Amino acid sequence: QVQLVESGGGLVQAGGSLRLSCAASGRTFSSYVMSWFRQAPGKGREFVAALRWLYGSTFYADSVKGRFTISRDSAKNTVYLEMNSLKPEDTAVYYCAAGVLRSSSEYRDDLYAYWGQGTQVTVSS
């Protein structure tokens, strides 16, 4: 059974940094896309960043490009989201997702088969 377990959320001041982790288990993820989405109160789920496990290629939403970095540790089966220069508008529950997706569809949350439980990130002004 596939499990995705997020950790690393918390409260941080604007301009600060956090690193989220997503520990994946239950199968081999070499053919998967691993992504981060977020959902702020009263808003829909938003794509943040994606990584194609096999090639290590990465994709970012414009709103986080240059501030966030997605990476993986294959030995630990873990995906990270390094978040720098955080802004109050980054406040949301952050979710890890995994799925087998075609190219250029990484931003589509409806295509992901597996989701974590989410971790809260709060950025104070």
Side-chain angles (χ1 to χ4, degrees):
Q1 183 178 357
V2 172
Q3 280 196 317
L4 304 176
V5 180
E6 302 103 331
S7 61
L11 173 64
V12 64
Q13 287 189 332
S17 299
L18 280 175
R19 188 178 79 158
L20 306 183
S21 299
C22 172
S25 62
R27 66 169 303 126
T28 302
F29 291 91
S30 58
S31 61
Y32 275 63
V33 174
M34 306 294 292
S35 293
W36 290 93
F37 287 80
R38 66 187 181 186
Q39 188 165 19
K43 295 188 176 181
R45 193 155 52 190
E46 176 191 21
F47 170 74
V48 176
L51 179 146
R52 287 196 171 269
W53 195 281
L54 183 60
Y55 303 108
S57 49
T58 57
F59 311 86
Y60 297 93
D62 287 344
S63 58
V64 307
K65 206 170 290 184
R67 300 188 297 123
F68 291 10
T69 303
I70 188 170
S71 63
R72 72 185 183 315
D73 183 331
S74 297
K76 296 182 178 179
N77 245 21
T78 298
V79 175
Y80 302 99
L81 185 68
E82 185 76 35
M83 305 186 294
N84 299 313
S85 303
L86 282 162
K87 305 175 181 179
E89 52 263 43
D90 294 318
T91 295
V93 177
Y94 283 70
Y95 297 91
C96 178
V100 179
L101 276 70
R102 293 182 178 179
S103 179
S104 302
S105 60
E106 294 86 358
Y107 63 95
R108 288 187 53 183
D109 62 348
D110 60 311
L111 298 180
Y112 287 83
Y114 305 106
W115 291 85
Q117 82 286 354
T119 185
Q120 176 71 47
V121 171
T122 303
V123 184
S124 63
S125 56

